[in-house]
Amino acid sequence: MTTQDIAESFTKLCKAGKFDEAGAKFWSDDVISIEPMTGDMARLKGRKAVEGKGKWFSENHEVHSCKVDGPFVNGDEFILGFEMDMTPKGKQRMTMKETGLYRVKDGKVVEEKFYFNG
Amino acid sequence: MTTQDIAESFTKLCKAGKFDEAGAKFWSDDVISIEPMTGDMARLKGRKAVEGKGKWFSENHEVHSCKVDGPFVNGDEFILGFEMDMTPKGKQRMTMKETGLYRVKDGKVVEEKFYFNG
């Protein structure tokens, strides 16, 4: 599979709301996940840690809908845009916009890096 | 200026259609510009070469409008989304969607890398 193929397959799952399945299928065992923040979750390494972040997110946010834009591809990287209508636990409903940059190696996503708007 | 400040200032100029002014103000002299293609313009280095690409683009495309989304920031990088309504010279009017990843160092954009959709 080319990066374009992987990007399209990954994106198709995200557009269907199957973010966990996209990760399960395409994350490398050593995947690195980088968030634009400080603290424990700023940089995670390994499938188990990144799955843990996904679990934490699901447990602490109610996602009403998520628009996914892309994929935008160059070489071994692709970018997705996300616009998420969600309610963080105990807070007000909000729209979160972010982009994700994915780096592909040997048919797997080896790094994902997120960028926030605002 | 922080990367967030530079990203916002750069984006404001782009949203006003002032792409050349954004480059003139923020490109470093050694800026690297990477396009998702092969050939002469795939990787350009230096302000003069990158300005030359901008000039070539302007001369060969009529841009009717351009929506700019962002900036999306993480560390010393930011991402912009572009949706351009344009007519390439001698071709049909089309919508081009791309994203740009910008890397900032010492208050200047030292690298821009574009990703295409489709």
Side-chain angles (χ1 to χ4, degrees):
Chain A
M1 288 177 92
T2 65
T3 298
Q4 181 75 41
D5 294 335
I6 289 162
E8 284 174 12
S9 182
F10 189 95
T11 306
K12 195 175 169 186
L13 289 167
C14 291
K15 284 187 176 175
K18 299 175 179 176
F19 296 95
D20 293 344
E21 195 178 326
K25 191 168 177 185
F26 289 109
W27 280 330
S28 79
D29 289 342
D30 294 329
V31 61
I32 290 169
S33 184
I34 303 167
E35 296 278 355
M37 53 177 67
T38 53
D40 290 347
M41 290 199 200
R43 188 180 187 280
L44 295 176
K45 186 170 182 183
R47 181 185 280 268
K48 198 176 166 188
V50 180
E51 283 173 356
K53 178 171 65 168
K55 190 166 180 284
W56 168 85
F57 186 86
S58 297
E59 288 169 356
N60 288 279
H61 302 79
E62 185 187 351
V63 177
H64 309 292
S65 67
C66 184
K67 277 186 254 176
V68 180
D69 194 26
F72 300 88
V73 180
N74 184 342
D76 61 354
E77 296 176 343
F78 66 95
I79 289 175
L80 295 180
F82 301 101
E83 190 174 328
M84 200 174 278
D85 172 17
M86 65 172 190
T87 306
K89 218 172 184 175
K91 294 188 180 166
Q92 285 204 319
R93 186 166 175 162
M94 60 177 287
T95 299
M96 183 183 71
K97 288 184 73 173
E98 64 175 336
T99 57
L101 170 65
Y102 300 84
R103 189 162 296 132
V104 174
K105 196 179 168 190
D106 300 330
K108 295 285 182 179
V109 170
V110 293
E111 188 181 295
E112 54 175 31
K113 185 172 180 181
F114 297 99
Y115 299 72
F116 283 175
N117 181 228
Chain B
M1 289 175 90
T2 65
T3 297
Q4 181 76 40
D5 294 334
I6 289 162
E8 284 174 11
S9 183
F10 189 95
T11 306
K12 197 176 169 187
L13 289 168
C14 290
K15 284 185 177 175
K18 299 176 180 176
F19 296 95
D20 292 345
E21 195 177 324
K25 190 167 178 186
F26 289 110
W27 280 331
S28 78
D29 289 341
D30 294 328
V31 60
I32 290 169
S33 184
I34 301 168
E35 296 278 356
M37 53 175 67
T38 54
D40 289 350
M41 291 198 198
R43 189 178 186 279
L44 294 176
K45 186 170 182 185
R47 181 186 280 268
K48 200 176 164 187
V50 180
E51 284 172 357
K53 179 170 65 169
K55 192 166 177 284
W56 168 85
F57 186 86
S58 298
E59 288 170 355
N60 289 278
H61 303 77
E62 186 186 352
V63 177
H64 309 291
S65 68
C66 184
K67 280 186 250 174
V68 180
D69 194 27
F72 300 87
V73 181
N74 184 341
D76 62 356
E77 297 177 340
F78 65 94
I79 288 174
L80 295 180
F82 301 101
E83 190 174 328
M84 199 174 281
D85 172 15
M86 66 173 188
T87 307
K89 218 174 186 175
K91 293 188 182 168
Q92 285 205 321
R93 188 166 174 163
M94 59 177 287
T95 300
M96 184 182 71
K97 290 185 71 173
E98 65 175 338
T99 57
L101 170 66
Y102 300 84
R103 190 161 295 131
V104 175
K105 196 179 168 190
D106 300 330
K108 295 284 181 180
V109 170
V110 292
E111 188 181 293
E112 54 175 31
K113 185 172 181 178
F114 297 99
Y115 300 71
F116 283 176
N117 180 229

